Amino acid sequence: MEAIPVSGVAFSTNEARVSITRVPDRPGIAARFFGPVAKANIVVDLIIQNTSIDGFTDLTFTVPKGDLAKTLELVGQVAKEIGAEKVLSDEHIAKVSIIGVGMRNHSGIASRMFSALADAGINIMMISTSEIKISSVIEDKYLELAVRVLHDAFGLEQARPTVQA
Amino acid sequence: MEAIPVSGVAFSTNEARVSITRVPDRPGIAARFFGPVAKANIVVDLIIQNTSIDGFTDLTFTVPKGDLAKTLELVGQVAKEIGAEKVLSDEHIAKVSIIGVGMRNHSGIASRMFSALADAGINIMMISTSEIKISSVIEDKYLELAVRVLHDAFGLEQARPTVQA
Ligand SMILES: C[C@@H](O)[C@H](N)C(=O)O
Ligand SMILES: C[C@@H](O)[C@H](N)C(=O)O
C-alpha cells in the first residue's frame, strides 16, 4: 500500500447551508446572489454548484450560523426576482475534511473517505475538493463518529483533531 | 476599497467532466463510484455533489481527458447497478480559478469573479471553492477571454498566467 499523503482530519460546525433550487443556468445568475451577500459583509465558506441538466441547477453555499437569517432575507429577494424554485437552509450540518499535500494523485483517498463514512452509516450531503483537501458535509449529529472513523481509516492519531476546516 | 488578497488566476484544460444524474442519496453510493476509479489509478481532480432535494442528487467529477473512456466504462457499470438515471460527460470544459491566501473573509471576491464572467457573457457550469481558491468550470472556448477579464477584474498583471488549477 503506497504511503497516503494525508496529514489530518479537520472539521467545522459553525456553518449553515443555504440552497437556491432550480436557478436558470445563464450568465449573471451567480453574480446576482453573491453581490448582496458580499455587500452585507457576510463571509461565505463553501460554494457548490453542479452542472445543469435541463437548463436549471441548484446553487448552494455556507455562511456562519449567526448570519443565516440575514442571508435568507437577501437571497430570498433575488430568488423571487429571477424566478428560482425555492430557498432552503439547514443549520444542522458539519463539514469534515481530509487534509494532505500531494492529494491530487490519490483518488484512492476519496474512495477511502467515502467508504469509511458509508460503513459508519453516515450520509454525505455535499462534496467539495481542492488539491490538498476533500470535504464532506454531513449531519452535525454524526460529527464525532465521522472524525473517529476517518482517523481510523487513515491510520491517524486521534490526539488533537484540527478545528475549522 | 480594501486590498483584495488575490495573487493570481490559474487555469486547466486537460480535464473532462463525468456526471451521474439522479443517484440515490444514501450512505455508500459515493464510495461505490470512486472505488473502481481509484483501483484503475485514474486521477480525480474536482468532485462536486450538491445536497439532494427529493432523495436524489447528481455526482460530478473530473478526470484527465485521456482517461475519460475508461472512466465512463467503470462508472456506467455502477450507475446501472444502483439505478442512476444517466451518465453524462463533457470534454470541452476548462477550469479557471482565482487564487489568494486569506480569501475566506472576502466573499466579495466570489461576487467580483462571477460578475466579471457574467459581463463577458460566460456561463458558469460548475463552482467549487477552498480557503485559498474559487474555481469555476466554463466551456473551454471561453478560456482565454475568462483569464483576461479576471486579470482585469482583480487588477493583476497578465504576464504569466499560472497553469494547472
Ligand atoms: C447558475 C449560475 O452559475 C449561472 N450559470 C451563472 O453563470 O451565473
Ligand atoms: C450521493 C452520495 O454521496 C450519498 N449521499 C453517499 O453518502 O454516498
Side-chain angles (χ1 to χ4, degrees):
Chain A
M1 181 79 214
E2 195 189 350
I4 284 196
V6 171
S7 53
V9 176
F11 63 88
S12 121
T13 57
N14 59 350
E15 304 282 317
R17 163 178 72 80
V18 174
S19 294
I20 309 113
T21 65
R22 275 188 78 77
V23 300
D25 185 22
R26 54 163 199 269
I29 296 296
R32 285 285 297 272
F33 284 105
F34 288 97
V37 171
K39 244 195 232 110
N41 277 326
I42 295 170
V43 173
V44 168
D45 181 21
L46 276 182
I47 304 174
I48 290 185
Q49 177 205 317
N50 208 333
T51 190
S52 72
I53 305 293
D54 56 352
F56 293 90
T57 186
D58 301 332
L59 190 60
T60 296
F61 60 96
T62 61
V63 295
K65 285 189 167 93
D67 289 321
L68 180 58
K70 179 80 185 143
T71 303
L72 289 173
E73 202 188 298
L74 295 169
V75 159
Q77 182 56 33
V78 175
K80 240 185 256 136
E81 286 164 13
I82 63 164
E85 185 183 45
K86 49 181 184 269
V87 177
L88 303 169
S89 66
D90 184 353
E91 291 188 71
H92 297 294
I93 64 167
K95 182 172 72 170
V96 61
S97 306
I98 296 286
I99 313 261
V101 282
M103 177 84 88
R104 243 185 105 86
N105 290 322
H106 294 270
S107 57
I109 293 175
S111 162
R112 185 178 286 199
M113 175 185 198
F114 300 153
S115 295
L117 294 175
D119 294 346
I122 299 172
N123 191 45
I124 302 166
M125 298 161 79
M126 292 159 66
I127 302 171
S128 178
T129 59
S130 74
E131 280 66 36
I132 59 164
K133 201 165 81 165
I134 299 178
S135 297
S136 293
V137 171
I138 60 174
E139 273 180 84
D140 56 4
K141 69 183 180 203
Y142 294 122
L143 181 66
E144 285 73 23
L145 176 60
V147 170
R148 188 154 22 87
V149 300
L150 290 174
H151 273 97
D152 292 347
F154 290 98
L156 297 166
E157 286 300 304
Q158 283 268 6
R160 292 184 312 287
T162 22
V163 197
Q164 290 314 320
Chain B
M1 180 80 215
E2 192 191 352
I4 284 196
V6 171
S7 53
V9 176
F11 62 89
S12 117
T13 56
N14 59 350
E15 303 282 316
R17 164 177 72 80
V18 174
S19 294
I20 309 114
T21 66
R22 273 187 80 78
V23 300
D25 185 22
R26 54 163 199 269
I29 295 297
R32 286 286 294 274
F33 285 106
F34 287 97
V37 170
K39 239 190 237 115
N41 278 324
I42 295 170
V43 173
V44 168
D45 181 19
L46 276 183
I47 305 174
I48 290 185
Q49 177 206 319
N50 207 333
T51 190
S52 72
I53 304 293
D54 56 353
F56 294 89
T57 186
D58 302 331
L59 192 59
T60 297
F61 60 96
T62 61
V63 294
K65 286 190 165 99
D67 289 322
L68 181 59
K70 178 81 186 140
T71 304
L72 289 174
E73 202 187 300
L74 295 169
V75 158
Q77 181 57 34
V78 176
K80 238 183 257 137
E81 285 164 15
I82 63 164
E85 187 182 52
K86 48 181 184 275
V87 177
L88 304 169
S89 66
D90 184 352
E91 290 189 68
H92 297 295
I93 64 168
K95 182 172 69 169
V96 61
S97 306
I98 296 287
I99 314 262
V101 283
M103 177 82 87
R104 244 185 103 90
N105 289 322
H106 295 270
S107 58
I109 294 175
S111 163
R112 186 178 285 199
M113 176 185 199
F114 300 154
S115 295
L117 294 173
D119 293 346
I122 299 172
N123 191 47
I124 301 167
M125 298 161 76
M126 293 159 64
I127 302 172
S128 176
T129 59
S130 76
E131 279 66 35
I132 59 163
K133 201 166 80 165
I134 299 177
S135 297
S136 292
V137 172
I138 60 175
E139 273 179 85
D140 56 4
K141 70 184 180 201
Y142 293 122
L143 181 65
E144 285 72 25
L145 175 60
V147 170
R148 191 153 22 85
V149 300
L150 289 174
H151 273 96
D152 292 347
F154 291 97
L156 297 165
E157 287 298 305
Q158 282 269 5
R160 289 186 313 287
T162 17
V163 198
Q164 289 315 321

